Amino acid sequence: MSTPYAKLPAWADYGLIPLINLLVAFAVAGLVVLLVGENPLRAAVILVEGAFGSGQGIAYTLFYATNFIFTGLAVAVAFHCGLFNIGGEGQAYIGGLGIAIVVLSFDSTLPWWVVFPLAIIASALFGALWALIPAYLQAKRGSHIVITTIMFNFIAASVMVYMLVNVLKPMGSMAPQTRQFLEGGQLPKLGWLLAEFGLKVRPSAPLNISFLLALVMAFLVWVLIWRTRLGYEIRTYGFSSKAARYAGISEPRIIIVTMLISGALAGMMALNPIMGDQHNVPLDFVSGAGFVGIAVALMGRSHPAGIVPAAILFGMLYQGGAELAFEMPNISRDMIVIIQGLVILFAGALENMFRPTIQGIFASISPGSVGITATKGERA
Amino acid sequence: MAEAAIELIGINKSFGAVRANRDIALEIPRGTIHGIIGENGAGKSTLMSILYGFYQADSGEIRVNGKPTNIKTPNDAIAVGIGMVHQHFMLVENFSVLENVILGAEGEALLKKSIAKARSELHRLEDEYGLEVDPDALIEELPVGLQQRVEILKALYRGAEILILDEPTGVLTPAEADHLFRILQQLKEQGKTVVLITHKLREIMAITDNVSVMRQGTMVATRKTSETTVEELAELMVGRRVLLRVEKGEAKPGAVKLAVKNLTVRDSRGVTMVDDVSFDIRAGEIVGIAGVAGNGQSELMEAVSGIRKAVSGTVMLDGTPIDLTGQADPGELRDRGLAHVPEDRHHVGLVLAFDESENSILGYHDKPQYLKGPFLNLDAIQKDAQEKIEKYDIRPANPRLKTANFSGGNQQKIVLAREIEQDPGVLIVGQPTRGVDVGAIEFIHRRLIAMRDQGKAVLLVSVELDEIRSLSDRILVMFAGRVVGERGPETSEGELGLLMAGVEHKEAAE
Ligand SMILES: Nc1ncnc2c1ncn2[C@@H]1O[C@H](COP(=O)(O)OP(=O)(O)OP(=O)(O)O)[C@@H](O)[C@H]1O
Ligand SMILES: [Mg+2]
């Protein structure tokens, strides 16, 4: 017998449940820390202090968060259409190729504020194109998008190795990466913004204006999904493909358009590390941000207002985790990955683990507060 | 009076500002069939959901067989022998009938064993009650009528002693409904208790022992069925006298508005569901399609409205031919003035997770009045939705409420309001009054006749023979995918029934 989900009040749905998931994730992570013979409380303090304790830490945290906002939004947009885009990783990677082409062509002649918009367009375009093929295969041939986007991550990795080693690498260099970008290919840092708040930030801190772009994109995604005709069609298809058909929404079109947008958002992620920080296109610069985006989107309930804080949380884990590995000799870099994995597991994958219990508790304290939502399982 | 199987005492339930149940007291004697009637949104489904553990009452007590019982989840309800067949089916669409029946009651660790056991048990139930369904058919491929049977089998399979049926006959033909009633009668003879929610007073009179009437969340009366009348019940429900007959003048048919030519449709398994069907509908007439559920009416409607690809066939709309075989586009047909109220409002006609106003533009969301460039014109949409809510008396009158939270009848009104208010030239309606209360039926029928009188062409598909007979100017009878006869509205129920059973068809073929 199918038990429908009782609906919780919004504050519990969006606040309490993520919080409980997080606490459990940290509790389990704490056990791991205990196992290797370190003090979990001290570890937590180092983690949080490392992420938020200094201007420098905050700059790094927000820098990582920028990546996750882009990839989280990419996953969320596809989610609204009922599509699971696992290909953010590859789309972002290929987005970097678009940036390389633009920047290497113009960084010696044009100022950054001209190159940046061109690079935005190029990264979005390349990311979108990389999502187009899986989208087309899903729309026209019914090949499952989860499978094809995963495959395309591998193809993207190979393509980029080839491009970096054989095409983009400057003559005579040993490193498989492009040459350093000149001034026109370097984005302004945002350290001064933190300095306004009295925080000390070194000029090398990687936080850059891509962060502002990410926030703008978060707002635009909200507008797209909830305020435009296209967003309405995306949501209709995501909830019920039969209703979409009835409403005259073309199935191939909506799948392809949504995946193009999703791929474009993922592609734009490449701007942040490439133009904002490293000033070249190296191998593997995406380093898992595409996958973290899935967890971010899940945790943020596919809403930009949830995705931004979720991305900052993961940014904290990245930055604080690095500090932790530095401070505690028993905790290796791999341990940090385990802790991040636990958060992804509890906050993302097991999102519904505590829900039934919490709903049960709510139902018994105040029966009036819960009602059935028919939204679950109504997707045909 | 026998001991009460169920006693409800002082049940209250609110959803936000809506008080769905207020101080409900109800006693259902064991071994009886108890009817519950009331307007759309009166709180019937809510009350039964409380009994079945889907909702928790804010206050009040449930006694089962005299014992105060705390029912928190459907599993608690099943444990005390309460089974429920929902108004809105709760089946897994891409599971087979068998898988759906055992879902949640698998019992064994190995699925194979329990499937074999279930199969024989299912055969027994099917034989005993004549509920025939192919156990291996996928739910999504079954017409609503058969899905219903699966729901009933599911409850019986779990050995329910008290069976709640929420509008079980909405999709059944009178013959099928009679069949169901024989089953219910049999259950009653075995000492089981049946609670039956229905909008059809005829059924209440035919089968129940007692009947309770709800209005706006309260229980207004309980009567012995033998001591009441249809008129009294209708008045108790609505609070005013209701016209139970449709009043309509002569039809004045004009030029042909909709012509369907050589339509053939196959389902996903390749079975021919509509077999070379052609017919015309003129401006100013209502053509009804009668038939037992599953004889191709649904597929016919879906093909003509463009949501299902046909194998062959065209439709002429005001003289413009549109091919139905290729990428037939429901949007294009809609643009040309063909509106469609689908039978399956939950999966097709509405997005339940949307709020009411969002659903009020579904399919028309590309019309300029709802847009500002690429943006939705939310103000216009809200205003438009509010107007429809008032005109069609949709309750609660809140365009921001999630559609899933409207009662069945009100959901139907949302779809009807959307389609009729676009002022289409042709209206195709499937089961327009399924799950709709007597007052609203009167309203919907009036609107359909008003459409006709404005010179629109209306194609009506309904399993309600009464509805077909009272609204249609011409009746086409479908059997096994073919139109086997055309009759006037005065044709007797018996004659139509025979045609629907394919009797004359067979004779003609021999
Ligand atoms: N989950 C919910 N959240 C908010 N309101 C709800 C919810 N469920 C039901 N309601 C409201 O409670 C009232 C009673 O609904 P209910 O479904 O019980 O009516 P009903 O008598 O079964 O009507 P119908 O004959 O149309 O099926 C309606 O006003 C409905 O909109
Ligand atoms: Mg109901």
Side-chain angles (χ1 to χ4, degrees):
Chain A
M1 187 102 253
S2 62
T3 315
Y5 283 92
K7 195 173 146 48
L8 290 172
W11 66 266
D13 210 9
Y14 294 98
L16 188 64
I17 287 189
L19 194 71
I20 290 177
N21 289 336
L22 258 182
L23 288 179
V24 174
F26 280 118
V28 178
L31 282 180
V32 177
V33 172
L34 210 57
L35 264 177
V36 299
E38 294 280 4
N39 178 350
L41 273 181
R42 205 170 81 81
V45 170
I46 294 175
L47 187 97
V48 174
E49 277 208 341
F52 294 116
S54 65
Q56 193 70 4
I58 293 176
Y60 269 97
T61 298
L62 293 183
F63 169 74
Y64 292 127
T66 306
N67 291 341
F68 305 147
I69 294 175
F70 282 118
T71 54
L73 291 173
V75 174
V77 167
F79 256 176
H80 280 289
C81 196
L83 300 167
F84 205 16
N85 178 12
I86 314 275
E89 191 80 8
Q91 289 143 18
Y93 209 176
I94 295 290
L97 186 62
I99 298 172
I101 294 171
V102 166
V103 176
L104 295 177
S105 313
F106 298 117
D107 63 347
S108 57
T109 47
L110 297 174
W112 74 267
W113 46 269
V114 180
V115 178
F116 189 39
L118 293 176
I120 292 175
I121 293 169
S123 61
L125 197 70
F126 275 62
L129 287 177
W130 203 248
L132 174 64
I133 305 166
Y136 178 85
L137 291 173
Q138 167 81 67
K140 297 284 188 184
R141 303 252 165 256
S143 327
H144 206 285
I145 201 138
V146 168
I147 310 289
T148 47
T149 48
I150 290 176
M151 294 195 319
F152 266 68
N153 287 338
F154 289 101
I155 304 177
S158 305
V159 167
M160 288 303 284
V161 169
Y162 176 84
M163 292 303 289
L164 287 172
V165 172
N166 296 303
V167 183
L168 298 172
K169 182 171 69 75
M171 292 278 265
S173 157
M174 297 294 286
Q177 55 190 33
T178 63
R179 69 165 166 78
Q180 280 304 109
F181 296 165
L182 304 176
E183 211 142 287
Q186 305 186 359
L187 295 181
K189 299 276 156 106
L190 281 183
W192 59 270
L193 197 67
L194 297 177
E196 290 282 300
F197 294 96
L199 295 162
K200 273 222 278 310
V201 186
R202 279 192 293 276
S204 65
L207 181 65
N208 63 84
I209 59 166
S210 305
F211 175 66
L212 299 182
L213 178 69
L215 295 182
V216 170
M217 292 321 292
F219 175 71
L220 290 182
V221 164
W222 175 79
V223 171
L224 168 77
I225 297 293
W226 281 282
R227 287 292 180 269
T228 68
R229 172 185 159 188
L230 179 61
Y232 178 88
E233 295 184 344
I234 290 174
R235 284 183 296 134
T236 303
Y237 185 81
F239 283 124
S240 161
S241 58
K242 285 186 190 170
R245 174 119 192 83
Y246 166 78
I249 296 165
S250 151
E251 174 162 356
R253 188 186 71 96
I254 201 75
I255 289 177
I256 290 174
V257 170
T258 305
M259 281 303 288
L260 286 176
I261 296 171
S262 175
L265 286 164
M268 288 163 77
M269 172 258 153
L271 295 163
N272 185 46
I274 292 179
M275 289 183 77
D277 180 34
Q278 312 198 1
H279 304 147
N280 66 24
V281 182
L283 275 184
D284 287 331
F285 66 83
V286 185
S287 59
F291 297 119
V292 176
I294 298 169
V296 167
L298 278 172
M299 198 173 177
R301 321 297 305 286
S302 291
H303 194 293
I307 287 171
V308 172
I312 292 175
L313 173 82
F314 277 90
M316 171 191 106
L317 285 176
Y318 262 59
Q319 166 55 18
E323 288 297 309
L324 194 57
F326 186 72
E327 294 270 335
M328 288 186 155
N330 282 343
I331 295 184
S332 65
R333 203 73 182 93
D334 298 330
M335 293 266 327
I336 305 300
V337 176
I338 293 177
I339 293 174
Q340 284 160 1
L342 284 170
V343 174
I344 294 180
L345 188 69
F346 283 97
L350 298 184
E351 222 276 321
N352 286 325
M353 192 163 82
F354 301 107
R355 185 169 291 269
T357 323
I358 294 170
Q359 274 158 353
I361 294 169
F362 263 86
S364 49
I365 346 182
S366 81
S369 65
V370 288
I372 286 182
T373 47
T375 60
K376 289 281 170 182
E378 82 185 2
R379 284 210 65 234
Chain B
M1 215 163 169
E3 190 199 332
I6 292 174
E7 246 178 297
L8 300 175
I9 303 153
I11 300 283
N12 277 294
K13 176 77 186 170
S14 299
F15 298 105
V18 180
R19 293 191 61 188
N21 286 164
R22 317 177 193 211
D23 263 322
I24 302 279
L26 178 64
E27 204 177 308
I28 300 174
R30 171 143 3 117
T32 62
I33 300 181
H34 197 107
I36 295 182
I37 58 174
E39 282 185 288
N40 293 128
K44 308 178 293 294
S45 297
T46 303
L47 188 64
M48 290 305 121
S49 297
I50 289 171
L51 186 51
Y52 191 60
F54 265 130
Y55 294 136
Q56 297 268 304
D58 300 342
S59 64
E61 188 180 319
I62 301 173
R63 290 189 193 160
V64 180
N65 298 324
K67 271 202 290 298
T69 311
N70 200 352
I71 300 177
K72 282 192 159 162
T73 67
N75 286 339
D76 298 343
I78 292 167
V80 293
I82 299 177
M84 180 154 178
V85 174
H86 286 271
Q87 184 172 9
H88 312 133
F89 306 147
M90 306 226 166
L91 299 169
V92 182
E93 296 239 323
N94 49 3
F95 270 22
S96 72
V97 168
L98 196 61
E99 288 168 326
N100 264 288
V101 167
I102 61 168
L103 186 65
E106 296 92 349
E108 314 265 340
L110 284 178
L111 207 54
K112 204 163 165 197
K113 225 167 163 189
S114 42
I115 286 195
K117 221 168 70 190
R119 191 181 291 275
S120 62
E121 171 71 5
L122 208 60
H123 275 304
R124 191 185 65 73
L125 289 171
E126 281 178 10
D127 290 345
E128 193 166 329
Y129 302 113
L131 283 161
E132 274 156 38
V133 206
D134 171 8
D136 299 308
L138 292 184
I139 295 299
E140 59 191 356
E141 282 166 354
L142 292 180
V144 267
L146 289 183
Q147 293 186 9
Q148 152 105 84
R149 290 190 187 174
V150 181
E151 281 284 13
I152 295 172
L153 279 170
K154 240 168 82 176
L156 292 179
Y157 183 76
R158 285 162 176 68
E161 282 299 309
I162 300 162
L163 188 65
I164 306 168
L165 297 110
D166 196 347
E167 297 188 36
T169 58
V171 282
L172 305 184
T173 59
E176 285 175 307
D178 285 346
H179 193 135
L180 171 66
F181 292 158
R182 281 202 298 281
I183 295 165
L184 298 185
Q185 209 72 52
Q186 240 165 307
L187 287 171
K188 173 180 148 183
E189 276 156 25
Q190 291 170 17
K192 300 194 176 182
T193 309
V194 177
V195 185
L196 176 71
I197 300 181
T198 178
H199 286 294
K200 295 174 201 162
L201 300 176
R202 177 164 47 82
E203 295 174 352
I204 292 288
M205 301 310 288
I207 183 161
T208 61
D209 299 304
N210 300 294
V211 51
S212 299
V213 185
M214 290 186 73
R215 186 162 78 220
Q216 289 171 16
T218 59
M219 194 60 85
V220 290
T222 295
R223 296 273 189 276
K224 263 188 155 30
T225 310
S226 54
E227 289 166 8
T228 185
T229 62
V230 169
E231 286 74 18
E232 187 198 15
L233 291 177
E235 199 171 332
L236 279 169
M237 268 167 74
V238 185
R240 64 174 166 89
R241 297 200 73 84
V242 182
L243 202 59
L244 295 165
R245 282 290 317 169
V246 184
E247 280 184 335
K248 63 171 185 178
E250 276 294 303
K252 299 183 195 70
V256 172
K257 263 204 114 60
L258 176 86
V260 173
K261 289 210 170 64
N262 305 107
L263 181 68
T264 299
V265 184
R266 301 212 178 100
D267 70 5
S268 50
R269 292 166 300 181
V271 180
T272 303
M273 297 306 291
V274 180
D275 192 0
D276 196 26
V277 167
S278 302
F279 61 89
D280 294 341
I281 306 180
R282 292 171 177 281
E285 71 171 349
I286 298 179
V287 172
I289 295 190
V292 177
N295 275 282
Q297 310 94 305
S298 310
E299 290 78 7
L300 174 100
M301 256 194 305
E302 288 172 6
V304 172
S305 60
I307 59 179
R308 185 190 277 268
K309 214 195 255 182
V311 176
S312 74
T314 50
V315 54
M316 298 271 265
L317 260 177
D318 285 326
T320 319
I322 298 170
D323 183 22
L324 295 177
T325 58
Q327 275 306 333
D329 175 12
E332 185 194 343
L333 286 154
R334 198 174 272 122
D335 287 343
R336 290 181 187 276
L338 182 139
H340 175 206
V341 176
E343 299 182 290
D344 183 350
R345 59 178 172 249
H346 278 118
H347 296 101
V348 181
L350 294 168
V351 176
L352 291 180
F354 276 3
D355 70 26
E356 196 275 343
S357 68
E358 286 174 307
N359 268 310
S360 75
I361 60 166
L362 188 72
Y364 300 94
H365 57 276
D366 51 359
K367 297 278 169 291
Q369 68 263 37
Y370 301 129
L371 296 174
K372 268 191 283 195
F375 300 101
L376 297 173
N377 186 341
L378 291 185
D379 290 340
I381 294 169
Q382 290 291 331
K383 200 167 143 262
D384 192 80
Q386 192 70 51
E387 279 167 20
K388 285 175 189 156
I389 283 174
E390 273 153 34
K391 192 157 170 189
Y392 286 78
D393 190 23
I394 295 166
R395 280 180 260 175
N398 177 3
R400 291 184 187 277
L401 189 67
K402 196 151 113 186
T403 310
N405 296 342
F406 282 87
S407 72
N410 281 297
Q411 290 172 347
Q412 182 69 337
K413 286 194 196 172
I414 296 172
V415 180
L416 275 159
R418 177 181 75 211
E419 299 302 323
I420 293 180
E421 288 306 301
Q422 291 295 333
D423 196 28
V426 177
L427 181 68
I428 301 181
V429 267
Q431 323 300 349
T433 53
R434 177 183 174 195
V436 171
D437 71 51
V438 281
I441 288 176
E442 181 189 18
F443 174 82
I444 290 169
H445 284 176
R446 280 203 186 133
R447 293 229 61 95
L448 291 178
I449 289 175
M451 294 266 308
R452 178 197 81 163
D453 292 342
Q454 287 160 28
K456 320 283 181 168
V458 180
L459 176 64
L460 168 71
V461 174
S462 172
V463 291
E464 288 295 316
L465 215 43
D466 273 354
E467 180 164 52
I468 296 269
R469 288 174 67 227
S470 57
L471 286 178
S472 309
D473 301 307
R474 283 189 291 138
I475 300 172
L476 304 176
V477 181
M478 272 189 92
F479 174 74
R482 290 177 159 274
V483 173
V484 294
E486 181 181 325
R487 296 287 186 277
E490 63 296 326
T491 315
S492 73
E493 202 162 308
E495 188 180 343
L496 288 174
L498 284 177
L499 273 173
M500 283 160 60
V503 172
E504 211 188 69
H505 184 57
K506 273 189 206 132
E507 281 166 3
E510 273 160 22

